[in-house]
Amino acid sequence: MQATGQIIAEAPSTVRSAVLKPSFSVEPLSPAIGVEIGNLDLTAPLDDDQYAALRAALLKHKLLVFRDQDISPAQQVALARRFGELETHPVFPHHPEHPELVMLGGDSKIPGRENIYHSDVSWRERPSMGSMLRCLECPKVGGDTVWVNMAEAYARLPEATRNALDGLLAVHDLLPAFGTRMSAEEREARRVAYPPATHPVVRTHPETGERVLYVNEAFTTHLANYIEKNDVRFGFDFRLAEMDLLQHLYRQAAVPEYQVRLKWRPNTIAFWDNRSTQHYAIQDYFPARRRMLRATIIGDKPV
């Protein structure tokens, strides 16, 4: 079994970073996931050594947190683009000058609805590699975000459960989570533009080789081939067993031992590896405001 956190198939920049001494500090936030990066000014472009060291840190720790980074929207876009091509989200509102930035947060009348464990845009054929989320405004108390190490969640499943997941495929869909925000005409258009995507229940991380549990309760609707992989007596047997298995897998994200909880402050940036994590935005602050800008980096097709 692949050990969690071991890098076995590194990108060239990551291999090069292994011999570098990072110029920034790294402070663990929890045993399972996340570090705070210090002594690094993100208003200046990353040089090649900083980029390589940060990418290696992201692969190892899965969540990087930067405090007191008073950067502009343009600088946030440039920083995120250093790690890959950026997507434009089809539902969330965009920054008026930078469509790559989505604006997240409700107001005194509309609460946020991201309080569900999820992996961003898993409904895409190529879900995101990662996201950079910057806090513009947040309450003094409340509004934390939880991240989960889903490689650890998979590694600590019982062996019999891991064996049962081999070869299973899950269907991920945009509309169950976002369809209520749309008119009937918009839902029809989005269904054509973004049909459900099918991904392995357990994906292999393309850079570390880790096995990652890759279903989430926000976007994963059902298993595409459960009945092909399991013997059942009757139709309701199949459906109930499939639902029970999915519910069990969803609940793995809620295990505290796999998590870290971040308290936001203005000008905090969180950068996470979306291929190996899930997150949950805690909605305990309404009607106070929490305003965020997120840049999302396009990833690869899960295998």
Side-chain angles (χ1 to χ4, degrees), residues 113-116 118 143-146 279-283 290:
R113 288 188 291 178
E114 295 80 30
N115 51 339
I116 185 171
H118 64 285
D144 300 350
T145 300
V146 171
H279 56 285
Y280 182 113
I282 300 171
Q283 178 52 251
R290 194 186 77 159

Side-chain angles (χ1 to χ4, degrees), residues 72-122:
S72 68
Q75 288 171 322
Q76 182 176 351
V77 169
L79 175 64
R81 188 169 282 138
R82 189 75 163 86
F83 291 84
E85 181 185 356
L86 304 185
E87 72 164 36
T88 301
H89 199 281
V91 179
F92 285 132
H94 306 146
H95 187 280
E97 298 176 6
H98 301 281
E100 306 94 337
L101 295 178
V102 298
M103 301 187 297
L104 299 174
D107 54 31
S108 60
K109 297 181 180 179
I110 303 174
R113 288 188 291 178
E114 295 80 30
N115 51 339
I116 185 171
Y117 289 107
H118 64 285
S119 176
D120 285 336
V121 300
S122 66

Side-chain angles (χ1 to χ4, degrees), residues 201-224:
V201 167
V202 181
R203 71 176 295 179
T204 300
H205 194 289
E207 294 185 72
T208 69
E210 291 174 301
R211 300 278 280 164
V212 179
L213 183 59
Y214 199 68
V215 297
N216 68 89
E217 60 182 341
F219 302 123
T220 306
T221 58
H222 62 283
L223 300 175

Side-chain angles (χ1 to χ4, degrees), residues 40-75:
L40 184 63
D41 180 6
L42 296 180
T43 63
L46 298 176
D47 63 33
D48 289 346
D49 289 352
Q50 290 171 328
Y51 161 77
L54 281 179
R55 191 172 188 104
L58 181 69
L59 294 177
K60 181 177 181 180
H61 302 290
K62 300 176 173 56
L63 169 68
L64 308 182
V65 175
F66 308 83
R67 298 287 193 182
D68 304 316
Q69 301 289 338
D70 189 9
I71 64 175
S72 68
Q75 288 171 322

Side-chain angles (χ1 to χ4, degrees), residues 24 42 44 64-65 110-111 134 138 149 181 190 283 285:
F24 49 79
L42 296 180
L64 308 182
V65 175
I110 303 174
R134 176 172 172 247
C138 58
N149 181 341
R181 307 175 189 222
R190 293 297 195 283
Q283 178 52 251
Y285 55 92

